Amino acid sequence: MSTQGKAFEEQYKGEPAVWLQWGSYEAAVLPGVGANLIAFRDTSKGYHILREPAEQEMEAFKANPGVHGIPVLFPPNRYEDGRFQFNGNTYTFPINEPKTGNHLHGFAHTAVWTVEDYGVNQTESYVSLKLSVDEKHPIFEFLPHVFTLRLRYALNETGLLQHISVHNEGQDAMPCMVAFHTAVNAPFAPNSAPEDCSFTMTIGKRWEMSERMLPTGRFLPLSEGEQAIQTTGVPTYWEAMDNHYTAEPRNGRNQMVLTDSREQVALVYDAGTAFKQWMVWNNNATKGFFCPEPQLNVVNAPNVDLPADEIGLVSLEPGGIWENSSRFYLRSAQ
């Protein structure tokens, strides 16, 4: 066993958590609140990478765990009238966003997950969690499939590794649509200001969205600022963003890079090339945090009349497994 790492159960602001430590890094995940990775920190520098709820915000966070830590969205984002068809079946989700008349964000981020394992080995501290759905699970009413979601987080000197898999254990093909509503502090360093922060992201085209925040199937030309997101970067709060883009990997990676010019450090969020879309939301340019959200599928994918591969609508066959790895790490700014 390594002397650098620890993995243990201890509460996070009153909520049961599994904590990981390795060197100066630490992370905490909340099995009872959607397996949300609620904290990722560098304790030697005082960095709090992810947006964490304050003690007095915990009840509100648990009631609506969408904009802290890393919520798992399954299926992600909005579905028109809460309905879609897939493989000859009609799926009906509750309308939980009355202002748009849509269903928003699925069921995994509010579900109770099970801790399968946690521990430390020679190279990492880790935790593995699962959400198994069968006929008896409340999610089955809306997603009538037998399946298991698994999340594994591992911490070592290079940062944080995230692995997610979806395993179809039923008899029918199921829609596989997944994303992370990752809430990143900007700034994440204690003495930096929002003005010190800028970001780049491997976005491609921008989807045109309707008044109900659903894609029309058409693309909008990128503004000068959006083109800068692809290249030199823009200030994190340069304008209000609630934008949907295709992912366009560059140099072999699909990533968001948040640079703190004061600290001369860059946070790399390498989401992995399986995610074909990005959402970017910065809470109406409110300084403090923003959400670079990697998505497998375009918003409202089953209702978008475009080829499945183009919109990221994965049909997971019986016995099939879909998986992806993402990584967070810090490097010097360049």
Side-chain angles (χ1 to χ4, degrees):
M1 180 183 285
S2 166
T3 56
Q4 293 190 76
K6 291 181 181 178
F8 55 94
E9 294 183 58
E10 188 174 278
Q11 291 203 337
Y12 173 92
K13 299 177 183 177
E15 179 67 23
V18 176
W19 289 81
L20 306 178
Q21 294 177 346
W22 192 279
S24 64
Y25 286 128
E26 68 178 9
V29 66
L30 307 178
V33 192
N36 190 310
L37 190 95
I38 198 61
F40 173 43
R41 308 166 180 164
D42 183 333
T43 56
S44 67
K45 297 184 172 69
Y47 293 171
H48 281 59
I49 306 296
L50 301 174
R51 182 183 186 227
E52 300 181 37
E55 196 90 43
Q56 65 272 19
E57 296 175 316
M58 281 301 290
E59 290 309 311
F61 156 71
K62 288 189 281 186
N64 185 23
V67 291
H68 295 86
I70 309 181
V72 188
L73 306 184
F74 190 88
N77 220 286
R78 295 175 175 89
Y79 297 87
E80 185 175 6
D81 302 325
R83 293 171 67 86
F84 64 85
Q85 290 198 329
F86 175 85
N87 199 30
N89 298 314
T90 299
Y91 296 74
T92 304
F93 295 168
I95 306 294
N96 59 2
E97 192 180 48
K99 67 179 180 181
T100 64
N102 300 320
H103 173 82
L104 180 67
H105 287 341
F107 311 101
H109 69 302
T110 54
V112 175
W113 291 53
T114 301
V115 178
E116 284 193 295
D117 186 26
Y118 63 87
V120 180
N121 57 37
Q122 291 295 324
T123 58
E124 63 186 11
S125 57
Y126 65 89
V127 59
S128 178
L129 309 103
K130 72 174 182 178
L131 173 62
S132 290
V133 174
D134 60 15
E135 295 86 348
K136 299 173 186 174
H137 198 284
I139 291 175
F140 190 87
E141 177 186 350
F142 309 110
L143 276 171
H145 298 279
V146 179
F147 65 95
T148 296
L149 302 182
R150 277 191 173 83
L151 260 177
R152 186 180 191 273
Y153 285 104
L155 202 58
N156 65 17
E157 70 278 358
T158 61
L160 181 71
L161 182 67
Q162 175 198 65
H163 183 266
I164 186 169
S165 66
V166 186
H167 187 175
N168 183 357
E169 295 155 336
Q171 303 302 313
D172 303 302
M174 67 175 285
C176 179
M177 299 183 285
V178 64
F180 292 100
H181 204 292
T182 309
V184 176
N185 279 328
F188 52 80
N191 297 317
S192 294
E195 292 70 31
D196 297 319
C197 298
S198 62
F199 77 100
T200 63
M201 182 183 280
T202 50
I203 60 172
K205 302 174 183 175
R206 180 175 175 179
W207 291 97
E208 180 184 63
M209 305 295 271
S210 72
E211 290 180 357
R212 297 177 64 185
M213 291 303 293
L214 301 170
T216 64
R218 297 185 294 269
F219 294 109
L220 297 172
L222 295 185
S223 69
E224 194 173 320
E226 289 171 315
Q227 292 175 42
I229 291 173
Q230 297 176 313
T231 52
T232 55
V234 294
T236 309
Y237 308 104
W238 66 295
E239 69 175 23
M241 297 187 76
D242 191 358
N243 302 347
H244 196 15
Y245 302 95
T246 63
E248 194 173 281
R250 291 178 184 81
N251 197 26
R253 283 161 296 176
N254 181 37
Q255 62 188 20
M256 184 282 301
V257 180
L258 175 64
T259 299
D260 182 326
S261 59
R262 182 190 165 279
E263 290 279 305
Q264 281 298 295
V265 67
L267 168 70
V268 180
Y269 179 18
D270 187 338
T273 53
F275 287 114
K276 305 299 185 187
Q277 316 289 331
W278 284 100
M279 285 291 302
V280 190
W281 181 72
N282 65 4
N283 194 24
N284 205 31
T286 305
K287 295 174 180 177
F289 78 101
F290 79 119
C291 295
E293 307 167 34
Q295 288 191 187
L296 175 56
N297 57 289
V298 72
V299 171
N300 198 34
N303 296 318
V304 177
D305 189 19
L306 289 170
D309 279 344
E310 190 173 333
I311 57 176
L313 178 56
V314 171
S315 177
L316 197 56
E317 69 280 3
I321 300 172
W322 176 89
E323 61 185 340
N324 181 68
S325 292
S326 302
R327 183 181 286 280
F328 295 79
Y329 61 96
L330 295 163
R331 60 167 171 76
S332 63
Q334 297 176 5

